Amino acid sequence: MVQASAYKSYQQNSVLTATPGELTLMLYNGCIKFIRQAKLAMEQDKIEEKNTYIQKAQKIIRELMVTLDQKQQVAQSMMQMYDYMNRRLIDANIKSDPLILDEVEGYAVDFRDTWKQVIEITQKNQPKRDRV
């Protein structure tokens, strides 16, 4: 019980202290995790669990859509991809098709890996602050 409470506190602090870039990375990781859980539930013929996990992945995709910076040139392309991923998740849920989940997971992994590189490059290019 205490360990679970400590972990929950750690998770909350991670979110509260994360940069916007790190929060986006967390969203991608969460989406991937839920897609994988949905595939496992699908394999085990747990229809309600599959539905729940796919809906959680869809909520994350919608959050990514809402937080897109429309001033950036790439935002329109990203919006179209997120919309496509969301529609494919709906298809996967209706058809109980793990291959569709594999497709969406592939896109999410690619986005996550690219975003991780962006964060690393940004951090390298930021001037280091003097330590006190």
Side-chain angles (χ1 to χ4, degrees):
M1 180 87 169
V2 172
Q3 191 175 17
S5 177
Y7 181 71
K8 188 170 181 110
S9 293
Y10 168 78
Q11 283 183 312
Q12 288 173 336
N13 286 335
S14 294
V15 170
L16 293 174
T17 59
T19 65
E22 292 166 335
L23 287 172
T24 300
L25 191 60
M26 287 179 194
L27 287 172
Y28 285 129
N29 284 329
C31 185
I32 294 163
K33 178 182 90 172
F34 292 135
I35 290 170
R36 290 177 179 166
Q37 288 175 320
K39 279 195 289 189
L40 183 61
M42 206 178 275
E43 290 169 11
Q44 297 171 349
D45 206 29
K46 296 181 178 177
I47 305 304
E48 286 183 46
E49 281 184 34
K50 171 206 68 162
N51 181 54
T52 298
Y53 290 129
I54 289 176
Q55 286 182 356
K56 286 181 179 191
Q58 285 180 275
K59 285 180 185 177
I60 289 173
I61 296 295
R62 286 192 298 270
E63 182 64 25
L64 288 165
M65 292 170 89
V66 168
T67 59
L68 269 178
D69 182 357
Q70 296 298 322
K71 296 175 193 161
Q72 301 298 320
Q73 230 176 352
V74 73
Q76 187 174 3
S77 297
M78 293 293 294
M79 183 66 80
Q80 290 173 350
M81 279 303 300
Y82 289 152
D83 183 56
Y84 176 77
M85 291 168 68
N86 191 49
R87 285 185 282 118
R88 293 299 283 162
L89 286 170
I90 292 168
D91 290 342
N93 204 358
I94 291 169
K95 298 174 183 176
S96 286
D97 188 339
L99 294 177
I100 297 173
L101 289 179
D102 288 340
E103 175 192 1
V104 178
E105 180 184 351
Y107 292 129
V109 168
D110 287 347
F111 285 141
R112 189 242 355 240
D113 293 348
T114 301
W115 191 250
K116 193 173 183 180
Q117 289 176 348
V118 168
I119 291 172
E120 290 170 0
I121 291 168
T122 302
Q123 288 173 345
K124 284 180 186 175
N125 292 335
Q126 286 181 345
K128 295 186 179 186
R129 294 182 182 142
D130 293 331
R131 293 184 182 177
V132 178

